[in-house]
mmCIF file of all heavy atoms in Angstrom:
data_model
loop_
_atom_site.group_PDB
_atom_site.id
_atom_site.type_symbol
_atom_site.label_atom_id
_atom_site.label_comp_id
_atom_site.label_asym_id
_atom_site.label_seq_id
_atom_site.Cartn_x
_atom_site.Cartn_y
_atom_site.Cartn_z
ATOM 1 N N GLY A 41 100.426 130.197 125.386
ATOM 2 C CA GLY A 41 100.512 129.034 124.500
ATOM 3 C C GLY A 41 101.550 128.063 125.014
ATOM 4 O O GLY A 41 102.500 128.461 125.702
ATOM 5 N N ALA A 42 101.358 126.778 124.692
ATOM 6 C CA ALA A 42 102.301 125.768 125.165
ATOM 7 C C ALA A 42 102.327 124.580 124.216
ATOM 8 O O ALA A 42 101.288 124.125 123.742
ATOM 9 C CB ALA A 42 101.917 125.294 126.568
ATOM 10 N N VAL A 43 103.537 124.091 123.937
ATOM 11 C CA VAL A 43 103.736 122.829 123.226
ATOM 12 C C VAL A 43 104.682 121.996 124.079
ATOM 13 O O VAL A 43 105.728 122.489 124.510
ATOM 14 C CB VAL A 43 104.334 123.030 121.817
ATOM 15 C CG1 VAL A 43 104.544 121.675 121.137
ATOM 16 C CG2 VAL A 43 103.423 123.904 120.959
ATOM 17 N N VAL A 44 104.306 120.747 124.329
ATOM 18 C CA VAL A 44 105.109 119.853 125.169
ATOM 19 C C VAL A 44 105.759 118.799 124.289
ATOM 20 O O VAL A 44 105.080 118.118 123.520
ATOM 21 C CB VAL A 44 104.236 119.163 126.233
ATOM 22 C CG1 VAL A 44 105.099 118.263 127.118
ATOM 23 C CG2 VAL A 44 103.510 120.197 127.078
ATOM 24 N N LEU A 45 107.075 118.690 124.385
ATOM 25 C CA LEU A 45 107.828 117.678 123.638
ATOM 26 C C LEU A 45 108.419 116.704 124.651
ATOM 27 O O LEU A 45 109.331 117.051 125.402
ATOM 28 C CB LEU A 45 108.936 118.346 122.815
ATOM 29 C CG LEU A 45 109.863 117.410 122.042
ATOM 30 C CD1 LEU A 45 109.089 116.571 121.030
ATOM 31 C CD2 LEU A 45 110.963 118.205 121.342
ATOM 32 N N ALA A 46 107.880 115.496 124.678
ATOM 33 C CA ALA A 46 108.357 114.480 125.617
ATOM 34 C C ALA A 46 108.696 113.219 124.838
ATOM 35 O O ALA A 46 107.858 112.687 124.113
ATOM 36 C CB ALA A 46 107.292 114.182 126.666
ATOM 37 N N THR A 47 109.933 112.752 124.950
ATOM 38 C CA THR A 47 110.382 111.547 124.259
ATOM 39 C C THR A 47 111.064 110.642 125.276
ATOM 40 O O THR A 47 111.055 110.917 126.474
ATOM 41 C CB THR A 47 111.359 111.886 123.119
ATOM 42 O OG1 THR A 47 112.638 112.240 123.682
ATOM 43 C CG2 THR A 47 110.851 113.044 122.281
ATOM 44 N N CYS A 48 111.681 109.578 124.776
ATOM 45 C CA CYS A 48 112.333 108.643 125.690
ATOM 46 C C CYS A 48 113.548 109.245 126.379
ATOM 47 O O CYS A 48 114.031 108.692 127.363
ATOM 48 C CB CYS A 48 112.740 107.376 124.940
ATOM 49 S SG CYS A 48 114.033 107.640 123.713
ATOM 50 N N ASN A 49 114.050 110.376 125.882
ATOM 51 C CA ASN A 49 115.245 110.939 126.522
ATOM 52 C C ASN A 49 115.207 112.454 126.684
ATOM 53 O O ASN A 49 116.237 113.083 126.853
ATOM 54 C CB ASN A 49 116.516 110.528 125.765
ATOM 55 C CG ASN A 49 116.433 110.839 124.285
ATOM 56 O OD1 ASN A 49 116.005 111.921 123.905
ATOM 57 N ND2 ASN A 49 116.832 109.890 123.461
ATOM 58 N N ARG A 50 113.979 113.030 126.658
ATOM 59 C CA ARG A 50 113.895 114.469 126.897
ATOM 60 C C ARG A 50 112.476 114.864 127.317
ATOM 61 O O ARG A 50 111.506 114.183 126.992
ATOM 62 C CB ARG A 50 114.305 115.270 125.672
ATOM 63 C CG ARG A 50 113.397 115.204 124.478
ATOM 64 C CD ARG A 50 113.938 116.029 123.320
ATOM 65 N NE ARG A 50 115.277 115.569 122.966
ATOM 66 C CZ ARG A 50 116.398 116.209 123.315
ATOM 67 N NH1 ARG A 50 116.347 117.342 123.971
ATOM 68 N NH2 ARG A 50 117.571 115.722 122.976
ATOM 69 N N PHE A 51 112.413 115.979 128.035
ATOM 70 C CA PHE A 51 111.145 116.608 128.411
ATOM 71 C C PHE A 51 111.341 118.105 128.226
ATOM 72 O O PHE A 51 112.198 118.709 128.877
ATOM 73 C CB PHE A 51 110.782 116.282 129.860
ATOM 74 C CG PHE A 51 109.662 117.129 130.404
ATOM 75 C CD1 PHE A 51 108.411 117.113 129.815
ATOM 76 C CD2 PHE A 51 109.859 117.959 131.502
ATOM 77 C CE1 PHE A 51 107.380 117.897 130.300
ATOM 78 C CE2 PHE A 51 108.841 118.746 132.005
ATOM 79 C CZ PHE A 51 107.595 118.703 131.401
ATOM 80 N N GLU A 52 110.559 118.694 127.324
ATOM 81 C CA GLU A 52 110.741 120.111 127.018
ATOM 82 C C GLU A 52 109.389 120.808 126.906
ATOM 83 O O GLU A 52 108.463 120.291 126.273
ATOM 84 C CB GLU A 52 111.529 120.277 125.702
ATOM 85 C CG GLU A 52 112.896 119.609 125.767
ATOM 86 C CD GLU A 52 113.774 119.865 124.558
ATOM 87 O OE1 GLU A 52 113.309 120.507 123.588
ATOM 88 O OE2 GLU A 52 114.920 119.427 124.583
ATOM 89 N N LEU A 53 109.311 121.986 127.497
ATOM 90 C CA LEU A 53 108.128 122.837 127.397
ATOM 91 C C LEU A 53 108.485 124.052 126.544
ATOM 92 O O LEU A 53 109.500 124.714 126.800
ATOM 93 C CB LEU A 53 107.694 123.320 128.776
ATOM 94 C CG LEU A 53 107.084 122.308 129.743
ATOM 95 C CD1 LEU A 53 106.918 122.958 131.113
ATOM 96 C CD2 LEU A 53 105.749 121.817 129.231
ATOM 97 N N TYR A 54 107.658 124.339 125.542
ATOM 98 C CA TYR A 54 107.814 125.550 124.732
ATOM 99 C C TYR A 54 106.602 126.427 125.012
ATOM 100 O O TYR A 54 105.464 126.030 124.744
ATOM 101 C CB TYR A 54 107.926 125.202 123.249
ATOM 102 C CG TYR A 54 109.245 124.529 122.937
ATOM 103 C CD1 TYR A 54 109.416 123.167 123.136
ATOM 104 C CD2 TYR A 54 110.335 125.279 122.500
ATOM 105 C CE1 TYR A 54 110.639 122.557 122.901
ATOM 106 C CE2 TYR A 54 111.554 124.676 122.257
ATOM 107 C CZ TYR A 54 111.701 123.317 122.458
ATOM 108 O OH TYR A 54 112.917 122.723 122.234
ATOM 109 N N LEU A 55 106.854 127.600 125.571
ATOM 110 C CA LEU A 55 105.784 128.461 126.054
ATOM 111 C C LEU A 55 105.828 129.821 125.373
ATOM 112 O O LEU A 55 106.905 130.370 125.137
ATOM 113 C CB LEU A 55 105.903 128.663 127.572
ATOM 114 C CG LEU A 55 106.038 127.394 128.431
ATOM 115 C CD1 LEU A 55 106.241 127.779 129.887
ATOM 116 C CD2 LEU A 55 104.838 126.487 128.264
ATOM 117 N N GLU A 56 104.652 130.358 125.092
ATOM 118 C CA GLU A 56 104.552 131.756 124.674
ATOM 119 C C GLU A 56 104.082 132.554 125.881
ATOM 120 O O GLU A 56 103.079 132.214 126.511
ATOM 121 C CB GLU A 56 103.567 131.924 123.516
ATOM 122 C CG GLU A 56 103.488 133.365 123.035
ATOM 123 C CD GLU A 56 102.546 133.547 121.855
ATOM 124 O OE1 GLU A 56 102.608 132.736 120.909
ATOM 125 O OE2 GLU A 56 101.757 134.519 121.888
ATOM 126 N N VAL A 57 104.834 133.617 126.192
ATOM 127 C CA VAL A 57 104.562 134.438 127.373
ATOM 128 C C VAL A 57 104.205 135.841 126.914
ATOM 129 O O VAL A 57 104.743 136.340 125.913
ATOM 130 C CB VAL A 57 105.795 134.472 128.312
ATOM 131 C CG1 VAL A 57 105.502 135.272 129.564
ATOM 132 C CG2 VAL A 57 106.209 133.045 128.681
ATOM 133 N N ASP A 58 103.283 136.482 127.647
ATOM 134 C CA ASP A 58 102.777 137.802 127.248
ATOM 135 C C ASP A 58 103.892 138.794 126.942
ATOM 136 O O ASP A 58 103.920 139.406 125.877
ATOM 137 C CB ASP A 58 101.887 138.383 128.355
ATOM 138 C CG ASP A 58 100.509 137.730 128.364
ATOM 139 O OD1 ASP A 58 100.095 137.248 127.303
ATOM 140 O OD2 ASP A 58 99.878 137.693 129.423
#
Side-chain angles (χ1 to χ4, degrees):
V43 179
V44 181
L45 177 60
T47 75
C48 67
N49 52 45
R50 68 181 57 257
F51 167 60
E52 301 186 356
L53 290 172
Y54 290 83
L55 309 176
E56 182 178 315
V57 182
D58 283 334

